[in-house]
Each structure stands twice: as structure tokens, then as C-alpha cells.
Amino acid sequence: TRRSSDLSNPKYSVATAINNQGQVVGWSSMDAKDTSEHAFLYSNGVMTDLGTFGGLFSSARGLNNNGEVVGVAYYASNPVTGNKSHAFYYHGGALVDLTANSDYNSEANSINDIGQIAGAYNDPNGTLFYHPFLYQNGALTDLAPNDGTARSSTAQLINASGQVAGVMRNSADYNSWYGFFWSGGVLKTF
């Protein structure tokens, strides 16, 4: 839900990305009591509220040179699903849910200039682990190895060639994190 509230003088704001045109994205307080934070796009001196999916919070995390924004936005809380958060893609003035009709949480972290998006989603099999994804042409591709070795991971960056980098936990030990690089269907950890 996009709000027409004035973001020109928030209590606080956090910038997370900038593009070559000097546009900036992040999140900002919506009121003096800190009960709500919304994603914003700052462009040509105007701070635009990107809204949420009906909840109180959203956060912009990535931005390309076309002014397209990605991040995470919450739905309104309910007793069955709780505070469900989904990856979003903002372009043409609209907030689009990348994992619509799903009950798992997701996040979008980076977008390149051709609209490929890197992020992560909760494993729908109930393990609560996150899987990295590449979203392109309306389809989400899971980048996690299917051999059962990946415990939790997120795709954090995508370049102009569609190569993805992120972080992966390959064991039950929370201190065993690895960087990963995905290119053309091949995943390497380092």
C-alpha cells in the first residue's frame, strides 16, 4: 500500500544504495514513535514513500540505473501467518510482490540494469533455512545446491552479466559461513 505521507522531514532515515544518476534508496521513519518504517526512493530532491504490502515496515535494499528498486515489505499481521515479509520490485510507480501467493518470507537485495534480481526466500519445506534466488523474466530460480549441504544462504549482489554473489552456511554450526559465486548455473563457495 503506497502512502502519500510526507517523507521530507523524517525522524530518521537510512540510505542503502545509490545509482549513477544520484538516486538513493533506503528506509525512513514514518512517525515520531518509531512504530513504522517505509522504503523510500530519493530522486531530484524528492523523497518518495514506496509503501508496504499492508504492514508497517518495508526496506529498500537495491537500486539500478533505471530507478528500479528492490527490497522487502511486510503484509498486515494476522493470527495465521504472523508478520509475513516478501521481496518486492518497484518500477513504474508500483510495488510488485516477487513471491506472491506464497506463505514463506523472502527478500530482494540487488538488481542490475536489465532487471535481474538477487535475493533469498525461506525454504518452503519447513526447514526455515533461506535459499538464494535469481529472479528474471517473471521466474524465480533457486541457486542453493540440491545436495543438502546448504543450510541457509542469501544472494546479496548481482552484476551486469547476471552473476550472483552472497553468503552461505554449509553446516549446522552458525559460525561456518562462506562466500559464494554463482554464474551460468554453477555455484562455487570460497
Side-chain angles (χ1 to χ4, degrees):
T1 305
R2 191 165 168 203
R3 294 179 53 174
S4 59
S5 60
D6 180 14
L7 289 180
S8 62
N9 192 20
K11 181 178 176 185
Y12 62 87
S13 60
V14 176
T16 56
I18 186 170
N19 67 13
N20 293 337
Q21 285 69 40
Q23 295 174 306
V24 177
V25 296
W27 69 87
S28 176
S29 64
M30 296 302 294
D31 57 48
K33 295 182 181 180
D34 298 336
T35 58
S36 181
E37 296 171 344
H38 282 199
F40 70 81
L41 169 63
Y42 180 82
S43 182
N44 297 319
V46 177
M47 194 171 182
T48 302
D49 177 4
L50 303 185
T52 71
F53 293 130
L56 296 175
F57 300 95
S58 62
S59 171
R61 298 184 177 175
L63 168 71
N64 67 16
N65 289 312
N66 303 315
E68 298 170 316
V69 182
V70 294
V72 60
Y74 282 78
Y75 279 89
S77 182
N78 71 57
V80 177
T81 61
N83 288 325
K84 184 168 53 169
S85 61
H86 277 201
F88 75 75
Y89 171 50
Y90 177 84
H91 74 115
L95 202 65
V96 177
D97 186 341
L98 296 183
T99 55
N101 303 317
S102 67
D103 288 331
Y104 50 83
N105 293 323
S106 60
E107 61 186 32
N109 297 315
S110 183
I111 182 170
N112 64 17
D113 289 345
I114 60 172
Q116 295 172 305
I117 299 168
Y121 71 98
N122 259 142
D123 179 0
N125 297 322
T127 65
L128 300 180
F129 297 138
Y130 271 82
H131 287 217
F133 70 72
L134 168 64
Y135 184 91
Q136 61 185 346
N137 302 321
L140 187 144
T141 302
D142 189 327
L143 304 182
N146 60 7
D147 61 3
T149 59
R151 297 291 183 202
S152 194
S153 52
T154 184
Q156 295 176 318
L157 302 165
I158 189 164
N159 67 14
S161 301
Q163 297 169 313
V164 177
V167 63
M168 179 175 293
R169 182 165 56 95
N170 283 355
S171 74
D173 178 5
Y174 279 93
N175 294 320
S176 296
W177 292 93
Y178 303 91
F180 77 83
F181 173 74
W182 181 91
S183 180
V186 177
L187 180 92
K188 297 179 181 177
T189 59
F190 46 89

